[in-house]
């Protein structure tokens, strides 16, 4: 009964941890989370690319590291004002998934981007993580 009481007390944090490290790569969910953060911070997505990841079937070893934790690498360029870009960087660090920003580069907007109101861009190279369940059988 003591273990059950402790589990009930820890359950909200457990659900947050499970969302933070999902069992599947979930690239669609990651894209949605980045798009929502951009919309909330009023920045425009200029470019968004995900590294290849095996969604179904046996992991290829590229997206699953030696620790057994998988990664989805991404390159994201967003444009807007300085303040919105700074708050966007904070926002992506707070999505309910483990995301690590590896590199950030600010640049002046190109003449084309300036015509549509984007004076500053930021390019972000990051990784989102997932933890494949040992119980999940992979086809292949």
């Amino acid at each position: 009964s003591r273990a059950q009481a402790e589990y009930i007390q820890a359950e909200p944090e457990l659900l947050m941890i499970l969302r933070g490290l999902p069992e599947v790569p979930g690239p669609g969910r990651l894209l949605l989370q980045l798009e929502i953060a951009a919309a909330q911070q009023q920045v425009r997505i200029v470019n968004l690319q995900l590294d290849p990841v095996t969604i179904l079937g046996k992991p290829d070893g590229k997206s699953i590291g030696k620790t057994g934790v998988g990664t989805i690498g991404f390159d994201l360029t967003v444009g807007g004002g300085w303040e919105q870009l700074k708050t966007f960087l904070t926002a992506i660090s707070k999505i309910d998934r483990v995301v690590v920003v590896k590199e950030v580069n600010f640049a002046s907007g190109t003449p084309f981007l300036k015509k549509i109101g984007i004076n500053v861009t930021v390019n972000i190279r990051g990784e989102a993580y997932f933890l494949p369940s040992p119980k999940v059988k992979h086809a292949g």
Side-chain angles (χ1 to χ4, degrees):
S1 66
R2 182 176 160 206
Q4 184 176 5
E6 287 185 27
Y7 176 79
I8 290 169
Q9 186 176 5
E11 191 172 20
E13 287 86 15
L14 179 61
L15 293 174
M16 187 171 62
I17 290 168
L18 292 174
R19 262 188 271 147
L21 280 172
E23 291 182 351
V24 295
R29 180 172 169 247
L30 174 62
L31 290 172
L32 180 62
Q33 289 172 312
L34 294 172
E35 289 174 351
I36 289 171
Q40 289 174 337
Q41 304 310 315
Q42 298 178 344
V43 298
R44 293 175 77 178
I45 295 176
V46 176
N47 184 42
L48 176 54
Q49 294 180 322
L50 298 181
D51 291 349
V53 63
T54 302
I55 297 172
L56 299 172
K58 190 174 181 178
D60 59 8
K62 293 179 185 174
S63 59
I64 308 294
K66 292 179 183 178
T67 61
V69 176
T71 61
I72 302 174
F74 64 89
D75 271 304
L76 171 64
T77 302
V78 293
W82 283 105
E83 289 304 315
Q84 290 98 345
L85 293 173
K86 287 184 343 188
T87 57
F88 176 73
L89 286 169
T90 302
I92 63 171
S93 69
K94 292 181 179 180
I95 61 176
D96 69 349
R97 181 175 186 151
V98 178
V99 173
V100 174
V101 173
K102 298 283 191 172
E103 185 178 331
V104 175
N105 294 304
F106 286 90
S108 177
T110 64
F112 172 77
L113 291 175
K114 287 182 180 179
K115 284 181 184 178
I116 59 172
I118 297 175
N119 294 321
V120 182
T121 61
V122 62
N123 180 262
I124 303 157
R125 177 73 185 148
E127 291 179 337
Y129 294 88
F130 62 97
L131 185 60
S133 171
K135 297 178 203 171
V136 175
K137 282 195 163 194
H138 296 282

